[in-house]
Amino acid sequence: MPRIVTLPGDGIGPEICAPAVAILQRFVPDLEVEEHVFGGASIDAHGTALTDDTLAACRGADAVLLAAVGGPKWDTTDPDAPRPEQGLLGLRKALGLYANLRPVRPLPALYDASPLRRERIEGTDLLVVRELTGGIYFGEKTRTADSASDLCLYTVAEVERIARTAFLAARGRRNKVSSVDKANVLETSRQWREVVHRIHAQEFPDVELEDVLVDNAAMQLVARPSDFDVIVTENLFGDILSDEAAMITGSIGMLPSASLGDDAGPGLFEPVHGSAPDIAGTGVANPLAMFLSAAMLLRHGLAMDNEAAALESAVDRALDAGLRTPDLGGSAGTAEATDAVLAHL
Ligand code: IPM
Ligand code: MG
């Protein structure tokens, strides 16, 4: 019996998590679901964003479905206060989820919802492969009265494995990798570039590889998004570029993600958007990125490719039929969006 852990988290999290679970249960009637508090909700209940109990449950599951964490209630600059995001970062690290896959594929039905002109985004189908457990996110942090620092550190092995993820993904797509770095300034980027090129030459010479400096990549992403296939980059650059890429689809409310590790351990599936505290509780949150994350869970977590494709196509067809949540310029609420997707399953 497949077992998943759900982490609804904060803000709109619980509102979009529940219908995603209902949809998953349509595909997997005997799905065992264990829910745990996470992020700010866990800070309120237990004083920490990720308890040992929750972590142990996640480790023992086939997959973890996470909605969103954070909110103004827990925002603080006090380095000693618990923060909701620590739960997310701690979970990624503890489960060894170094590869974050963020597909960006605007649907024809949404071309006019993007702030970019239709001619520019037409045909875009890219995958951001973001390194997720290294770099400046996890390096040593210091703080004194008059200075602060964050260390950006990458081992060769960390770059090798994410490079392999990207090249392998490219082989199943349009066979092109854009490696994004800041090699004109950063030593970590010079190492990144060397390692990516070595793995390319030794193991994936059949895949096309280009280097793009991160500032230029930010520009190219809006200037010629359809030229990209796989973009591989380090943790912080990937965080920034994936939010930027999300707008190509019209709304960050459309972007799912999968975070995967090496071994047989569970993957983590979550929408790229946050907890949207401003609209929490009003029933208007767009659940589609959450549903598409559930589809990635079916594909990568439970090896149910056909079911994943069926769910993705139900989302496509619901949008084709006119479904629009407020972030896409419409007025459909979460429940209406859920019904529309269910009707197309
Ligand atoms: C993301 C988020 C997180 C990140 C935050 C919430 C810590 O922005 O998943 O992109 O920076 O990784
Ligand atoms: Mg982010």
Side-chain angles (χ1 to χ4, degrees):
M1 197 156 47
R3 236 190 95 230
I4 64 166
V5 165
T6 55
L7 306 172
D10 308 317
I12 59 168
E15 300 160 48
I16 57 171
C17 196
V21 169
I23 287 178
L24 281 174
Q25 281 166 332
R26 286 274 184 114
F27 289 107
V28 195
D30 63 345
L31 185 70
E32 207 181 292
V33 181
E34 189 180 317
E35 184 177 302
H36 284 262
V37 286
F38 189 62
S42 177
I43 292 176
D44 288 350
H46 306 290
T48 169
L50 171 62
T51 65
D52 293 345
D53 224 36
T54 300
L55 178 57
C58 291
R59 276 192 210 284
D62 294 310
V64 180
L65 184 66
L66 165 70
V69 296
K73 179 174 179 194
W74 306 280
D75 261 347
T76 169
T77 51
D78 174 359
D80 298 321
R83 297 184 56 88
E85 293 79 6
Q86 287 164 346
L88 185 54
L89 300 180
L91 189 61
R92 289 171 176 171
K93 191 74 172 179
L95 296 180
L97 306 174
Y98 65 84
N100 183 219
L101 311 182
R102 298 185 161 181
V104 177
R105 187 178 54 92
L107 303 172
L110 292 185
Y111 278 164
D112 295 314
S114 172
L116 298 180
R117 278 202 309 279
R118 167 187 280 265
E119 318 78 89
R120 204 148 273 204
I121 57 177
E122 242 161 357
T124 298
D125 179 358
L126 63 86
L127 175 70
V128 179
V129 176
R130 169 187 174 194
E131 201 293 325
L132 202 59
T133 52
I136 200 165
Y137 271 62
F138 292 94
E140 191 197 348
K141 299 177 189 312
T142 71
R143 180 76 177 266
T144 66
D146 49 16
S147 73
S149 73
D150 298 275
L151 178 69
C152 183
L153 183 143
Y154 268 109
T155 66
V156 167
E158 283 173 325
V159 183
E160 285 174 344
R161 64 184 183 179
I162 196 70
R164 288 194 181 98
T165 303
F167 287 124
L168 279 173
R171 274 187 181 158
R173 299 172 46 95
R174 297 197 314 281
N175 219 36
K176 177 177 171 191
V177 169
S178 305
S179 171
V180 172
D181 62 36
K182 188 72 185 174
N184 52 349
V185 177
L186 301 178
E187 204 51 47
T188 42
S189 282
R190 287 189 275 270
Q191 171 184 265
W192 176 279
R193 197 174 276 209
E194 252 175 55
V195 172
V196 169
H197 279 263
R198 176 169 51 75
I199 295 294
H200 175 247
Q202 290 173 348
E203 300 173 31
F204 302 91
D206 53 301
V207 179
E208 188 189 336
L209 170 65
E210 67 171 355
D211 301 302
V212 190
L213 293 171
V214 63
D215 47 349
N216 186 238
M219 185 183 84
Q220 301 296 345
L221 252 180
V222 286
R224 48 165 193 107
S226 60
D227 284 356
F228 289 104
D229 181 16
V230 173
I231 295 176
V232 64
T233 191
E234 61 125 273
N235 203 342
L236 180 62
F237 298 162
D239 178 48
I240 298 167
L241 292 180
S242 58
D243 266 36
E244 186 189 4
M247 281 319 287
I248 300 170
T249 63
S251 167
I252 195 166
M254 293 301 304
L255 225 65
S257 82
S259 303
L260 307 172
D262 247 342
D263 37 33
L268 174 68
F269 303 87
E270 54 172 320
V272 171
H273 64 71
S275 59
D278 52 323
I279 58 164
T282 62
V284 300
N286 176 353
L288 296 181
M290 188 76 202
F291 297 168
L292 294 171
S293 301
M296 292 189 93
L297 183 152
L298 288 168
R299 178 175 295 115
H300 298 283
L302 303 180
M304 298 173 70
D305 271 27
N306 294 337
E307 289 80 357
L311 176 48
E312 287 164 350
S313 114
V315 170
D316 283 15
R317 279 176 294 128
L319 289 163
D320 270 338
L323 169 66
R324 296 287 185 279
T325 44
D327 55 308
L328 298 171
S331 61
T334 310
E336 203 178 319
T338 304
D339 290 344
V341 171
L342 284 171
H344 285 94
L345 270 188

